[in-house]
Amino acid sequence: MSNELLNQITNSLIEGDPDQTVALTGQALAAGLEPLTIINQGLVPGMDEVGARFQVGEYFLPHLIIAAKGMEQSMALLEPELRARQQAVESAGTVVIGTVHGDIHEIGKSLVATMLSASGFKVHDLGVDVPTSTFVQKVRETGANLLGLSALLTTTMTVQREVIEALREAGLRDQVKVILGGAPVNQEWSDSIGADGYAEDAVGAIELAKRVLA
Ligand code: B1M
């Protein structure tokens, strides 16, 4: 029953029916499925398949936009549930997070921001297409001890390196740990640009955040 619901969620994204995606997400919550299960086993496989079809030219930009709408609206249902389930830890740290300049992919970054917030971090989410100078300015202004940089495109992951260099030039690199994420990013890239770590998904990002600040 629960597997069937998760498959239906995946298929509704692939078929481009956002209203159905949201309705099924509501049903899955009502059936007692964990929000992270719904995300990781229902929504994300759907987005991955839409992305794969786009890559081979079977789907086009409107397909991506419609799927993103279904995922975003479902996330709006799931975020309060995610927060409610996490045990708040007092002052785990102050985080500035955003998707780098030139990149408007929002969903994964926002999921990481929600999970960090639910885990007791004070989160300043700067959104998407964030200029490098804005990251530097916000780190200075908030005294953040963690900076999260999301990049979903091979063409924008290089901006993560620019932000780290800009922090160094501003004399802020020692005050803030920098963590990275996004589909094209990996540990090797993180090491090569002098970041403090990389996480594959939102759960990994919370573990990483706690580890680098420990
Ligand atoms: Co775009 N897109 N897209 N897209 N899109 C990808 C990324 C792509 C892989 C699709 C494909 O071709 N297979 C491809 C990139 C190819 C590449 O560079 N190698 C691509 C492309 C090419 C493009 C455009 C260039 C298309 C065009 O215009 N011709 C364009 C770029 C626009 C721009 O940014 N300048 C574009 C646009 C869009 C939409 C706007 C239509 C839409 C985004 C809408 C939105 O976010 N509001 C969109 C979408 C939806 C996707 C796919 C299908 C799904 C992304 C997503 O939301 N996944 C994507 C294919 C894919 O990823 N399978 C694709 C679900 C989300 C939960 O996962 O974002 O990976 P994800 O986040 C994960 C992890 O990565 C990690 O944790 C998250 C949760 O588990 N993570 C972090 C993310 N950030 C982290 C930060 C951390 C730690 C972990 O610490 C700080």
Side-chain angles (χ1 to χ4, degrees), residues 5-23:
L5 258 179
L6 292 168
N7 284 338
Q8 285 176 348
I9 290 174
T10 306
N11 288 334
S12 68
L13 279 173
I14 297 168
E15 284 157 14
D17 188 349
D19 292 344
Q20 178 72 347
T21 307
V22 175

Side-chain angles (χ1 to χ4, degrees), residues 63-85:
H63 295 104
L64 290 191
I65 294 169
I66 290 167
K69 188 176 164 203
M71 172 118 194
E72 280 166 355
Q73 290 179 354
S74 294
M75 288 303 295
L77 274 184
L78 295 170
E79 276 171 10
E81 299 295 327
L82 272 177
R83 286 182 210 278
R85 278 165 175 74

Side-chain angles (χ1 to χ4, degrees), residues 48 51 55 72 102-106 108 148 150 153-154 199-201:
D48 283 347
Q55 203 162 16
E72 280 166 355
D103 196 325
I104 60 168
H105 292 91
E106 178 146 42
S150 185
L153 300 170
T154 41
E200 192 180 344
D201 57 23

Side-chain angles (χ1 to χ4, degrees), residues 167-194:
L167 285 172
R168 209 170 276 131
E169 280 163 21
L172 292 168
R173 183 65 185 95
D174 292 340
Q175 125 180 1
V176 67
K177 301 285 183 191
V178 181
I179 63 170
L180 312 178
V185 180
N186 58 29
Q187 189 58 49
E188 198 185 341
W189 170 249
S190 169
D191 293 342
S192 75
I193 65 169

Side-chain angles (χ1 to χ4, degrees), residues 39-40 43-44 46-56 61-69 71-72 75 95-100 102-112 116 128-129 147-156 160 178-184 197-206 208:
I39 293 168
N40 290 331
L43 294 166
V44 169
M47 297 304 275
D48 283 347
E49 182 57 28
V50 171
R53 291 185 188 196
F54 175 75
Q55 203 162 16
V56 297
L61 202 51
H63 295 104
L64 290 191
I65 294 169
I66 290 167
K69 188 176 164 203
M71 172 118 194
E72 280 166 355
M75 288 303 295
V95 190
V96 169
I97 189 168
T99 303
V100 299
D103 196 325
I104 60 168
H105 292 91
E106 178 146 42
I107 297 167
K109 178 272 303 163
S110 296
L111 177 56
V112 173
L116 283 167
V128 297
D129 191 16
L147 173 64
L149 301 173
S150 185
L152 265 284
L153 300 170
T154 41
T155 47
T156 57
Q160 295 176 327
V178 181
I179 63 170
L180 312 178
Y198 144 82
E200 192 180 344
D201 57 23
V203 172
I206 309 312
L208 175 64

